[in-house]
Amino acid sequence: MRLARELGLVFASLALAFGVGALVAQLSGLSPSAVYRELVRGAFGDQYRFFQTLTQATPIIFTSLSFLIAFRAGLFNIGAEGQLYMGAFFGAWAGFTFVLPPYLHTVVALLVGALVGAVWGFIPGWLRARRGTNEFVSTMMLSYVAIYFTSWLVSPRGPYHGTQWANQTVRILSSAELPRFVRGMQLHWGLAIAGLLSLLLWYFLFRTPRGYEMRAVGQNPRAAQYAGIDVPRTMILALTLAGALAGLGGAAEVLGTHRRFIEFFSPGYGWDGIAGGLIARAHPLAVIPAAILIGALRAGGMGMDRAGVAPADFASVLQGIVIFFVVAPELFRLFRRIRRERRVLVHSQP
Amino acid sequence: MPAEAVRMEGIVKRFPGVVANAGIDFSLSFGEVHGLLGENGAGKTVLMSILYGLYQPDSGQTYVRGEPVRIRSPSVAIRLGIGMVHQHFMLVPRLTVLENMAVGWEPRRGPFLDREGMRKRIEALVEEYGLSVDPEARVEELSVGEQQRVEILKALYRGAEILILDEPTAVLTEQEVEALFKTIRALRDQGKAVVFITHKLHEAMTICDRVTVLRKGKKVGTVPISEATPEKLAEMMVGREVVFRVQPKPVQKEGKELLRVEGLTVHDERGLPAVRNVSFSLFDHEILGIAGVEGNGQKELVEALTGLRPPKAGKVYVGGKEATGLSARELAQLGLVHIPEDRQATGLILPFSLAENVVLGRHREDGFALGPWVQLRRRIFRYAEEAVRTFSIVAPSVRVPVQNLSGGNQQRVVLARELGRKPKVVVAHQPTRGLDVAGMEFVWEKLLELREKGCGVLLVSMDLDEILMLADRVAVMYRGEIVGIWPREEADKHELGLAMLGGKVAAR
Ligand SMILES: Nc1ncnc2c1ncn2[C@@H]1O[C@H](COP(=O)(O)OP(=O)(O)OP(=O)(O)O)[C@@H](O)[C@H]1O
Ligand SMILES: [Mg+2]
């Protein structure tokens, strides 16, 4: 029942978005049918392209999960981008610094990435729980700190400037690589890890007492406190896990796709995670198709450009339209909920 | 025959798994106060929500002033002169009374809110119906009774001639009920039509001209009040006879002090003392009633005793152990449970299912979880189904969100959970708020049963009759202080009433 309605809503918004996209294309003097043909072909046309789409989707799954777990606890993690960068840099660092047997090295590097990401989530979590600092602002600020800090680390004046021609680290050791599924293609085991984490997160939220507490805090902190739940601790836990998920995503991206840390490597995966989490209606399993949709728009957009039917800029416009239409209803609902909750607090039913 | 205000014919409304209204006929005349009675979940709120345009009926026809109408939304209802004061109020706390009334209905003078014009009209209404409120006060500073008056004013201001009041007295003190009745009579004398939903039969007998009784979504009948007695109405509602009073049994007290409060001072949100230097003890086999007009510190006292608000000064002992400032969970471990007054804001998580709510706060107990990582969902469901049976909760399944349950059934979920904990000390704050007669009877019996088993019960209620019926001793709170404690035999209703209003008393 509810599921059918939610799905209906998502597909209706998608249809609307593509309709508006067609209109915009027409008005810009482009052929809508050619644009969409190349978009679909670019994203799903052959195995290579499809794998490219999945490669794009992989970090988005991580950042969507990151946004979602905080959201379920009633918090906004706007800083997944920075957590991703921290995880990516330190994952790479572990990859070229430690000397360990293959696989074990990969696992250790992933864990280091997750850990540093967790720290980057813990700080705003702690500030929120103990000092009341708005996490919306603090996660965003820390995000910029992370992006510029890691950029400095690999700049010519930084300690990890690895190559002369670009601001990036040296290559990770081959023992730390996250294996790829098929030779010559970037798609790597990070996707499997992301899928597994979606499942785990679902189990955590809906099948464990801790997850129950997290949802309780998100839905009604006062009732949660009444129920003996440690609300501040739960908030800290949620943002720490959020940071860990984004950090792990960053580390996987580096160990699987780039094999080194490159400054400003992310095209905005952290921001895509907000869209992904909202499109998925904060459901961990729905995050996978949501991330694939966003990944397809990215990959397909490049395809459109290559085919010459539309400039790359138009691809971004289209992405914007789709995300706007699919996310806007959810945002709208969210604000309505917040407003209603404020009202409920006035009073109390007899 | 006075003019017909509303006629509803064959109203059917289904929700997944429930038929809330199964073909209901209802009629309302101008110049009449029409009572709507029925057990929890009988369909009263749904029927009136349909009249107010909040729900669309699956079938049935509504006529207003004889004209067939389709009420697609509350704004259509308002245009038809229908106003509703909900079971939960819908005011914006930060705004003033005047601003709240202007929301979505702004009289303008040029680009500005016509404050002067509004104030004049409000003052006229206040005058006419005796609804005393200060238009410039902020809603968050008002008592519940005042907020309710704002809601009524808002409806009248928008030109309501047909006014629906959904359980308006559940949150009021006796004095406030009197004032509300005066207002309702004034409305009737002006020729307006009023629907009055209540669970208190004596109120229906006092204020209504006719009464319609619903049971399980069906209409049992409409009777003029001259032909009704409380017993007859109760029987129509429940389908059997109900007792209106319970009798505490004599018990053997051991004199064990289960709860001891010493010099407790508690501040409210604004940092002002709401509870001042309060001391009392609660013993085994005892119900200690705390009476008082709402807003005299009861809320803050209860919150401080139950771990929701840190006290400023003083000490609390539970079962002989110091428990000052402990968290709700630690207190629960000492055997103290809390039935909160505000089920929607505190006692429940509305989007969670019935089953999830029935273990709220107990979700880590051995029967429901193995450590923090495994939830025993089968057991939780089984426990919830048992609770539904023993507390007669009306719900299509234990998996529905509690926000879909009727008000009284939500209250039963809270009671089922808290009374299922095997407590030593129970802090019950307005435990029968919103319950139907059978539900009240059930709760009273439960509280007495706890007393017979040796528990101590702190019963905080605005219903003096309830306290006088159940409590062994009665304390009265006024302006944050306990002005006296009377053994029940010596408690006199009149004297208590005076004390509640701040009259000087010479009692112990
Ligand atoms: N939005 C909803 N979704 C699903 N079921 C609902 C919804 N609203 C009401 N119901 C169901 O309809 C039935 C009638 O509810 P209603 O609120 O009218 O009861 P009521 O007579 O007002 O009871 P109370 O005295 O407890 O307030 C109940 O079984 C309730 O669970
Ligand atoms: Mg109701």
Side-chain angles (χ1 to χ4, degrees), chain A residues 207-264:
Chain A
R207 290 291 181 274
T208 71
R210 277 247 160 82
Y212 171 97
E213 291 176 356
M214 207 168 271
R215 287 185 296 125
V217 169
Q219 295 286 2
N220 185 346
R222 185 179 161 82
Q225 188 200 0
Y226 155 79
I229 295 168
D230 191 334
V231 177
R233 244 191 68 188
T234 307
M235 286 181 165
I236 295 175
L237 179 68
L239 276 175
T240 305
L241 284 176
L245 284 163
L248 186 61
E253 184 64 7
V254 154
L255 302 178
T257 307
H258 305 295
R259 306 273 152 98
R260 64 171 71 203
F261 178 85
I262 309 166
E263 70 165 353
F264 307 132

Side-chain angles (χ1 to χ4, degrees), chain A residues 8-30:
Chain A
L9 207 69
V10 169
F11 282 113
S13 339
L14 269 180
L16 192 66
F18 284 117
V20 172
L23 203 70
V24 174
Q26 190 83 53
L27 291 176
S28 327
L30 305 169

Side-chain angles (χ1 to χ4, degrees), chain A residues 349, chain B residues 40-41 43-46 87 166-167 197 199 406-408:
Chain A
Q349 164 163 26
Chain B
N40 294 133
K44 307 177 293 290
T45 300
V46 169
Q87 231 168 335
D166 194 352
E167 294 192 34
I197 302 181
H199 289 296
S406 79

Side-chain angles (χ1 to χ4, degrees), chain A residues 69 83 92 119 121 130 195 198 276 279 300 317:
Chain A
I69 191 165
Q83 294 148 6
V119 171
R130 306 284 175 214
S198 303
I279 293 173
V317 171

